[in-house]
Amino acid sequence: MHQHFILFKPYGYLSQFIYELKRKKKLLGELYNFPEGTMAIGRLDEDSEGLLLLTTDGKVSEQIRSKKVDKEYYVQVDGVITPEAIEELQKGVEIGFDGGKYKTKPCSAFIVTEIPDFGPRAKKIRDERHGPTSWASITVNEGKFRQVRKMTAAVGFPTLRLVRVRIGNVYLQNLKAGDVLEVPDFKLDNVN
């Protein structure tokens, strides 16, 4: 019987259970007593937070990764993001990838007017004395390395904080950093 989990990955954790290199890193197994064979489906960078799906079923993992499933991120950016920057993001922007240039696919993006309550981050984000910040939502169904961060930088608004809030129709809900929720399945749309 396979098990499935929804996790709010906190800042500063790797999206993995084993880390072979010498430096001490925080791993997912420190957050919860996951059953043997649990794997993260996809990943979030060490300095990114939010929704991570975990499963003991390799088939489910493969199905979700192979489909172009929407992933929505809330990003806190340096400065007050403009409608023009949002429009650029929606159309696709050029980012550096694999030593070359890559134009991102058109995506959904909008300004988030109500500041989300994700709780404080483990590492403090610079404060308002250094100028204003703002939030935007960006939904992509491709996953190039650090793509969302590169996208906001490309339109002149570097990312200060990045939180994944949705994968397909699975939402972060009101989980707080480090929370784990066991679910019967992910019920992702378009995954068969």
Side-chain angles (χ1 to χ4, degrees), residues 124-137:
K124 192 170 174 347
I125 295 162
R126 66 166 183 71
D127 61 36
E128 294 292 321
R129 288 177 305 203
H130 298 284
T133 67
S134 56
W135 286 85
S137 161

Side-chain angles (χ1 to χ4, degrees), residues 3 5 7 17 28-35 178 180-182:
Q3 291 175 272
F5 305 90
L7 162 70
F17 290 91
L28 298 178
E30 296 170 37
L31 297 170
Y32 186 82
N33 189 14
F34 291 104
V180 176
L181 180 66
E182 187 165 356

Side-chain angles (χ1 to χ4, degrees), residues 4 39 41 55 57-69 71 185-192:
H4 312 286
M39 64 193 91
I41 302 173
T55 184
D57 186 346
K59 277 199 177 102
V60 168
S61 174
E62 202 173 300
Q63 287 170 343
I64 292 172
R65 282 192 329 241
S66 69
K67 302 281 187 238
K68 295 295 181 204
V69 179
K71 295 167 197 76
D185 59 55
F186 298 123
K187 290 187 172 61
L188 279 170
D189 289 341
N190 311 325
V191 177
N192 17 348

Side-chain angles (χ1 to χ4, degrees), residues 51-95:
L51 182 61
L52 195 60
L53 306 180
L54 298 109
T55 184
T56 57
D57 186 346
K59 277 199 177 102
V60 168
S61 174
E62 202 173 300
Q63 287 170 343
I64 292 172
R65 282 192 329 241
S66 69
K67 302 281 187 238
K68 295 295 181 204
V69 179
D70 282 351
K71 295 167 197 76
E72 182 177 5
Y73 300 86
Y74 275 20
V75 288
Q76 183 180 18
V77 296
D78 190 358
V80 178
I81 197 161
T82 61
E84 293 77 20
I86 291 289
E87 197 177 317
E88 279 183 66
L89 291 169
Q90 290 168 342
K91 290 178 181 167
V93 294
E94 196 172 270
I95 61 173

